[in-house]
Amino acid sequence: QVVLVESGGGLVQAGDSLRLSCAASGRTFSSYAMAWFRQASGKEREFVAAISWSGDSTNYADAVKGRFTMSRDNAKNTVYLQMNSLKPEDTAVYYCATTALRGNYPYTDLRNYHYWGPGTQVTVSS
């Protein structure tokens, strides 16, 4: 079974940076697209960033474009989300996800993702 575990969340001030990590186990990591989603309190889960299994294509939500960067290290079975210039609006639980089937396209729709980590809390104060 696929297991994803996020880390790196915390409490920071507006303008600060954080790097989230997602470690995967249970299957060959390099064959699947990966994504980050976030869910603020009382809100629906929304797309943040996605990366192809080959690492050559990425997609970002408009709200984070230019501030967040997603990358992957297939040798380490890990993906990252570098978050710069954080805003209070970025406060949410951040979830790592991967597809159930092998594929290369970094889909933005959460319905394409079937394995999820437990999430890591990011809180950005004013």
Side-chain angles (χ1 to χ4, degrees):
Q1 183 71 359
V2 177
V3 176
L4 305 175
V5 180
E6 305 95 338
S7 62
L11 173 62
V12 298
Q13 296 185 55
D16 285 353
S17 297
L18 281 174
R19 189 182 75 161
L20 305 184
S21 298
C22 174
S25 63
R27 70 182 184 186
T28 301
F29 180 77
S30 61
S31 298
Y32 305 87
M34 302 286 291
W36 289 95
F37 292 80
R38 66 186 183 187
Q39 187 166 19
S41 181
K43 303 294 181 64
E44 294 186 351
R45 194 166 299 187
E46 66 177 6
F47 170 76
V48 176
I51 191 167
S52 62
W53 67 262
S54 60
D56 60 352
S57 296
T58 52
N59 282 314
Y60 296 96
D62 288 342
V64 307
K65 199 170 298 181
R67 299 188 297 121
F68 292 9
T69 302
M70 188 173 183
S71 61
R72 68 189 298 160
D73 187 337
N74 289 341
K76 296 181 178 179
N77 280 11
T78 302
V79 296
Y80 306 94
L81 184 67
Q82 179 65 46
M83 305 185 295
N84 297 327
S85 301
L86 283 162
K87 305 175 181 180
E89 304 94 276
D90 296 317
T91 296
V93 176
Y94 283 71
Y95 298 92
C96 176
T98 189
T99 57
L101 301 176
R102 292 179 176 84
N104 194 49
Y105 188 79
Y107 294 103
T108 61
D109 191 329
L110 62 81
R111 288 169 288 189
N112 290 285
Y113 298 92
H114 303 286
Y115 296 100
W116 298 81
T120 185
Q121 176 71 47
V122 172
T123 302
V124 185
S125 63
S126 300

